[in-house]
Amino acid sequence: MTVVTGILDTITEPGDLRALPPAALAELAEEIRGFLVEKVCRSGGHLGPNLGVVELTIALHRVFRSPRDAIVFDTGHQSYVHKILTGRRGGFDTLRQQHGLSGYPARAESAHDLVENSHASTALSYADGLAKARQLCGDSEKDRDGRVVAVVGDGALTGGMCWEALNNIGGTALPVIVVLNDNTRSYSPTTGALAGHLRRLREGSRGNLFRELGFAYMGPVDGHDIGAVERALRQAAAVERPCVVHVVTVKGKGYPPAERDEVDHLHAVGIVDPDTGHATTKGEPTWTSVFADEITVLGAERADLVCVTAAMLHPTGLTPFAARFPDRVFDVGIAEQHAVTSAAGLAMGGRHPVVAIYSTFLNRAFDQVLADVALHRLPVTFVLDRAGITGPDGPSHHGMWDASILHAVPGLRLAAPRDPTRLRELLREAIDTDAPTAIRYPKATVAADLPAVARMDGVDVLHRSKALPLDVLLVTAGPTAQAAADAAGRLARAGVGVTVVDPRWVLPVNPALAAMAARHRLLVTVEDNTRAGGIGTALTQTCHDAGVSTPVVNLGLPNAFVSHGSREALLAEAGLDADGITRTVLERLR
């Protein structure tokens, strides 16, 4: 496809945008859409959300003067247009690549980016605090005149934090401007009573919840009419109190493949053909697709099995289950805390709920896992997709904390399958367990099965060096098993005897591992969780408590926020590939 960027070529910062005559804006919007389709289809990324906010973002930067005016994007996956208009168009060839342009706002990239937390429903709370800080700062022109604008989707409004913030902002005179980008969906269509209320507002209903909460209300406004959006934003800026500007947009606007996509309007794509929106290579089985198949099979076998998701029905693989058992799947919106406690209620009522959730989003519901599920010893299974390194989505999306968090939950068992067969086995074992369980796996294609040579006390033995001493015990977690097995072969060729084991259920620690460690010169744990408080830490403590004095090396992700990049490169950087494991073992045995 041919991309024309005549007007866009003149935009290097928001001041250039404000200098354009209104007659040029529609053409600029089309040029931005063409640019987005070209670049995102080539690199992968969030396409549908950004196509839907082109006119809205143009209007925001024409009315407000970022960074003096604080513009906070909720979640931030819809910030590509913002990046283009703030001087970063040249970086899109490196979008979501290691050391390249982030797919979310990034403070290191630009003064125009304030918030890089890509978890939903947070923007209004940031805006509340920013507005309070500006009110307290003093009388300088910057502090007195700067506006605070939060851009939040209707999907994000299904999250409880939004309502906590609306409750606080609406009870003040703070001039926070809430731009509600209503495209009727997050990934999937927005659920619940809120969706119905927004629909009635779009249809002209006089009843208005936002006004009842203390906000002025402008709208609904056609979000693809730049002039109308500008007028509404200027009106909102003039009222000098909390205000909601209700902007109605179309996700995937202007790109027929996205508009026709019924699943999620091409919310996030890999490398695709820009003419069709279809992947350029045949998709291989993924951890998510293996789970999707097995949970549907289990649903047919067990009438008590139900599934819960927080606005992630398709990304977590529940679409086939929902198609076959529509009355046994519950999409609660972006409400992870509610999802977990609702699952607890389902378990109390005699069901076995499976909560399918991204690993990083379980962080938001730790108290509910601890006090609402585990305290009551309820049979709830948490399926943690995107565990470990997710790759190009960056720090907020890496699922590198779940093992550390769940390590602290009494009575909960955590499994980490190494291959597709183990995922199926462990999912069945979890659902047969009358207590809390969790299973973690990455965002990746699945490799071939890695069979065990033996099973001892519930631990799978994957490799034993022949005719060599018991030098090293490698204890792996999940897909790190393949790298450890490869390293064992290299070490054997160097004369180092290695035993590689996979405990399958990694927490609580199987006591048999301590006994195995006692027979080796060195114990090395390998996990794609942070080393801080993770699986290796738990095994080290178990060995200490058992009086095992074998030296221990814990390999894992650093206790840091890991940037975006390919999964393979980031794991290698952390020493979790075969080269890194081999190198570490040889250094420790010197």
Side-chain angles (χ1 to χ4, degrees), residues 49 55 115 144 157 160 163 215 218 247 251 323 339 344 348 362 403 430 467 474 503 532:
E55 290 86 359
V115 172
R144 185 175 64 247
L157 278 187
W163 295 96
F215 288 78
M218 317 294 175
V247 178
K251 189 173 183 178
M348 287 178 174
L362 187 71
L474 281 177

Side-chain angles (χ1 to χ4, degrees), residues 7-29 32 54-66 71 81-82 84-87 226 230 234:
I7 299 175
L8 185 55
D9 288 340
T10 69
I11 307 296
T12 60
E13 55 95 20
D16 298 329
L17 177 65
R18 291 190 289 271
L20 286 179
L25 299 178
E27 184 176 346
L28 172 64
I32 291 174
V54 174
E55 290 86 359
L56 170 57
T57 310
I58 289 172
L60 282 167
H61 279 292
R62 280 174 60 83
V63 172
F64 300 106
R65 294 178 178 267
S66 174
I71 302 176
V81 184
H82 163 77
I84 291 168
L85 297 176
T86 53
I226 297 173
E230 284 191 27
R234 294 186 195 282

Side-chain angles (χ1 to χ4, degrees), residues 418-419 422 450-455 459-463:
R418 66 180 181 269
D419 59 28
R422 257 43 65 178
L450 180 60
V453 298
R455 179 170 290 180
V459 176
D460 280 356
V461 179
L462 307 182
H463 175 92

Side-chain angles (χ1 to χ4, degrees), residues 269-395:
V269 299
I271 298 174
V272 299
D273 182 341
D275 292 325
T276 65
H278 297 155
T280 56
T281 58
K282 184 179 179 180
E284 299 180 26
T286 65
W287 289 93
T288 304
S289 67
V290 173
F291 163 73
D293 292 342
E294 189 64 18
I295 195 67
T296 306
V297 170
L298 287 167
E301 297 175 4
R302 291 189 51 158
D304 65 330
L305 185 66
V306 296
C307 293
V308 180
T309 185
M312 293 286 180
L313 187 76
H314 179 66
T316 59
L318 288 180
T319 302
F321 186 96
R324 188 163 178 186
F325 311 108
D327 59 336
R328 289 162 54 191
V329 63
F330 304 97
D331 183 348
V332 302
I334 304 176
E336 293 86 359
Q337 294 174 320
H338 169 68
V340 172
T341 304
S342 177
L346 283 162
M348 287 178 174
R351 306 294 97 182
H352 189 113
V354 172
V355 181
I357 190 171
Y358 284 10
S359 167
T360 184
F361 298 147
L362 187 71
N363 300 347
R364 315 184 79 175
F366 172 71
D367 181 68
Q368 286 69 33
V369 172
L370 181 70
D372 300 340
V373 173
L375 178 63
H376 299 92
R377 298 174 294 283
L378 294 171
V380 176
T381 295
F382 299 96
V383 173
L384 308 183
D385 202 323
R386 274 69 166 172
I389 292 292
T390 60
D393 283 328

Side-chain angles (χ1 to χ4, degrees), residues 94-118:
T94 66
L95 179 65
R96 303 168 78 239
Q97 298 173 26
Q98 192 169 19
H99 310 304
L101 193 70
S102 171
Y104 294 90
R107 291 160 68 93
E109 284 182 8
S110 174
H112 296 281
D113 292 2
L114 286 177
V115 172
E116 52 191 88
N117 169 19
S118 57

Side-chain angles (χ1 to χ4, degrees), residues 4 70 77 80 104 117 119 122 129 165 224 270 308 377 401 418 468 494 556:
V4 178
H77 61 288
Y80 293 7
Y104 294 90
N117 169 19
H119 290 189
T122 62
H224 303 295
V308 180
R377 298 174 294 283
W401 295 281
R418 66 180 181 269
L468 290 170

